[in-house]
Amino acid sequence: MSERGQSRSLKTVGIVAAVVAVGIVGAGIATRSQSEKKLAGWTSAQATPTVAVIHPKAAGSSTALTLPATLQALNTAPIYARTSGYVRKWYVDIGDSVRAGQTLAVLDAPEVDQQLAAAQADLQTAQANQQLAASTATRWRNMLSKDAVSKQETDEKIGDLAAKVAVTNAARANVSRFRFTQGFTRLIAPFSGVVTTRSTDIGALVTAGTAASTPLFTVSDVRRMRAYVRVPQSYSAQVHPGQHVALTLPEYAGRTFDAVLTRTAGAVDQRSGTVLVEVQADNQDRALKPGSYAQASFPVMGASGAMTLPASALMTGQRGTQVALVGQDGKAHLKSIQIGQDHGETVEINAGLKASDRVIDNPPDALADGDAVSVARGGADGAHAAR
């Protein structure tokens, strides 16, 4: 082959190699571009959360308003010492039943005994001075009738008698005061009930009249129990004296205690927006204990236009309680609501929702107003209905 033919062959091979190289580079660029597009699409899809949508349901017309309550004894009396001394003996302990007027403990107060003795001596002195003044005044009256003494001197003797009578009365009152104080060394029950606390022992020093004083005993009348409950204003018109209320306690599963609403404050507390009511329950078997936590269920009608949602749909933040709605633009929109009653798994919404609203269930924590969302197919409409 000639040199010219060899040169053409080399040029042809070079052109073919260049075309193949350009094709390989182009294919690589196209493949990479397609991968980047897929990655961008996947990233965009991952950035848009997929959410389940539910619809609010109308609240039932009749429901039970369940509110927390703390039980108290009908009457509770902390027993303090009215005089200082040492505990000589105590006769009752926690859990003991006592009757009105029964002695709970006795104190030794030697100082009071000595003060009483001194007051009695002062009374005897005052009585003796009164008797002398009385006899003197009588004699001067007799002498005045015979013009043996002046009227001025007689009046002075009569006035001295009146002063001595006043001193005697003051001494007698002082004796009575110390006798009452001495009587306070015996602590008694003010009414029949049960001893719920005892904070003293034999030989303990009891100091009366100080801010740090603690009750030696507490007596509670547990034959009837009462509880104060705060009812929301929206339901206050439906509660009234004489209404029966169901009490439930965690230690008595499945048991309900019947209580009666006895009185209502008749005013709304501006700080909490509630009305304070009192309920009472019979407690002859002493199943109810003072200080116990209970739940009081009031038979009421649901608020007009109220809707229910699962508690998982609520969002709580700086703007209060809100829910996330899916708009027609496919974006989330946060809306504030007003909760009427909390049933645990579900809540009753008094304002802020319609039955046609599409509410996001279990919204992501980072969800903000205006974020794009993707609605899951076969959403949670049925999930709410099943709750």
Side-chain angles (χ1 to χ4, degrees):
M1 178 180 285
S2 64
E3 292 181 0
R4 184 178 295 178
Q6 290 180 352
S7 178
R8 285 182 180 176
S9 297
L10 290 174
K11 287 182 179 180
T12 302
V13 172
I15 293 172
V16 172
V19 172
V20 171
V22 170
I24 293 174
V25 172
I29 293 174
T31 303
R32 183 175 179 180
S33 177
Q34 186 176 4
S35 298
E36 289 179 352
K37 289 182 179 180
K38 290 182 178 180
L39 179 60
W42 181 86
T43 303
S44 177
Q46 293 299 314
T48 303
T50 301
V51 297
V53 171
I54 59 176
H55 290 282
K57 297 184 62 178
S61 59
S62 179
T63 183
L65 176 64
T66 303
L67 300 170
T70 302
L71 299 181
Q72 303 176 18
L74 187 62
N75 292 301
T76 299
I79 309 300
Y80 292 87
R82 289 290 304 276
T83 184
S84 300
Y86 295 91
V87 178
R88 182 198 307 171
K89 188 174 181 60
W90 52 267
Y91 299 96
V92 295
D93 207 341
I94 57 174
D96 291 344
S97 298
V98 295
R99 63 183 184 279
Q102 180 177 340
T103 300
L104 306 179
V106 177
L107 306 179
D108 278 331
E111 293 181 357
V112 176
D113 297 338
Q114 295 303 317
Q115 290 172 341
L116 176 59
Q120 290 174 335
D122 292 341
L123 176 60
Q124 292 174 357
T125 300
Q127 288 174 337
N129 292 334
Q130 178 184 343
Q131 291 176 358
L132 178 59
S135 60
T136 301
T138 301
R139 285 195 299 268
W140 281 73
R141 284 195 189 97
N142 293 334
M143 288 188 292
L144 178 62
S145 64
K146 298 177 182 180
D147 293 329
V149 294
S150 66
K151 180 71 167 57
Q152 176 65 31
E153 293 174 320
T154 303
D155 290 342
E156 290 177 357
K157 300 303 179 183
I158 295 175
D160 182 63
L161 173 60
K164 292 299 191 296
V165 170
V167 171
T168 301
N169 291 336
R172 184 177 293 109
N174 201 33
V175 170
S176 298
R177 180 172 67 89
F178 282 114
R179 281 178 177 168
F180 278 113
T181 304
Q182 190 181 51
F184 291 145
T185 59
R186 187 176 296 272
L187 306 180
I188 62 174
F191 48 78
S192 298
V194 177
V195 178
T196 55
T197 67
R198 177 182 68 83
S199 59
T200 188
D201 214 333
I202 295 176
L205 174 62
V206 178
T207 304
T210 62
S213 298
T214 57
L216 277 65
F217 300 92
T218 301
V219 178
S220 300
D221 182 4
V222 296
R223 292 174 298 178
R224 287 187 65 81
M225 303 295 291
R226 63 180 174 179
Y228 291 101
V229 186
R230 294 192 176 276
V231 178
Q233 179 183 350
S234 56
Y235 294 96
S236 59
Q238 301 186 48
V239 297
H240 52 81
Q243 186 177 31
H244 285 263
V245 180
L247 294 179
T248 56
L249 285 82
E251 63 265 37
Y252 298 109
R255 181 176 178 181
T256 301
F257 298 87
D258 180 60
V260 178
L261 195 151
T262 55
R263 56 182 55 86
T264 174
V268 178
D269 186 352
Q270 295 182 354
R271 293 173 297 179
S272 61
T274 58
V275 177
L276 185 66
V277 301
E278 178 187 346
V279 299
Q280 293 186 10
D282 186 73
N283 191 35
Q284 295 298 330
D285 60 352
R286 296 189 180 180
L288 303 177
K289 298 177 288 295
S292 297
Y293 169 81
Q295 287 188 321
S297 297
F298 297 79
V300 296
M301 302 295 290
S304 177
M307 312 298 291
T308 61
L309 276 178
S312 57
L314 303 183
M315 301 177 65
T316 303
Q318 295 181 350
R319 297 186 177 181
T321 304
Q322 296 179 310
V323 294
L325 306 181
V326 178
Q328 297 297 329
D329 55 359
K331 295 181 179 181
H333 300 280
L334 303 186
K335 189 173 185 181
S336 298
I337 59 173
Q338 178 182 343
I339 297 179
Q341 188 176 353
D342 189 344
H343 298 285
E345 292 186 356
T346 62
V347 292
E348 186 174 303
I349 311 301
N350 287 345
L353 284 181
K354 304 186 300 293
S356 59
D357 288 336
R358 297 193 298 168
V359 182
I360 299 176
D361 193 15
N362 291 310
D365 294 336
L367 186 67
D369 190 76
D371 286 353
V373 294
S374 174
V375 178
R377 294 187 177 182
D381 292 343
H384 176 44
R387 295 191 182 193

